[in-house]
Amino acid sequence: MVLEVAVLNIKSGKENEFEASFSVAQEIISSMHGYKWHQLQKCLETKRQYILLVQWACLEDHTVGFRQSSEYQRWKDLLHHY
């Protein structure tokens, strides 16, 4: 198992929009081969910061299976502009 840890710094004032987009995007990641679970946590000390944890069966499920998939482009379109 591999645990991906991502610190997400969201543009100020966009937190609610990001959370709404993430609710859609989580359907994408959870459908990927090798995906086990994920958790998104909002930081209490830094209002616009989140921690995303994703557990994958193996590193390649994340780096190749997800990151090189067509679904990843949709994930990026939903989330990366925040």
Side-chain angles (χ1 to χ4, degrees):
M1 300 286 180
V2 172
L3 180 62
E4 173 190 2
V5 179
V7 177
L8 308 174
N9 293 300
I10 305 307
K11 293 177 183 174
S12 184
K14 298 290 186 178
E15 297 88 358
N16 290 339
E17 290 176 44
F18 166 75
E19 290 177 18
S21 293
F22 188 84
S23 70
V24 175
Q26 69 184 347
E27 298 299 322
I28 297 169
I29 200 167
S30 64
S31 72
M32 300 305 298
H33 176 78
Y35 164 89
K36 299 298 181 188
W37 58 263
H38 75 275
Q39 185 177 62
L40 181 69
Q41 292 289 324
K42 188 171 188 174
C43 181
L44 295 175
E45 295 172 337
T46 306
K47 185 176 174 181
R48 60 184 196 86
Q49 192 171 71
Y50 295 76
I51 300 293
L52 173 62
L53 304 173
V54 184
Q55 188 167 61
W56 299 96
C58 66
L59 182 61
E60 292 75 20
D61 288 332
H62 168 63
T63 58
V64 178
F66 178 54
R67 283 290 188 88
Q68 294 181 19
S69 69
S70 59
E71 291 88 347
Y72 182 68
Q73 185 58 51
R74 175 84 172 118
W75 170 272
K76 282 176 54 175
D77 290 345
L78 284 165
L79 300 176
H80 283 207
H81 61 281
Y82 292 108

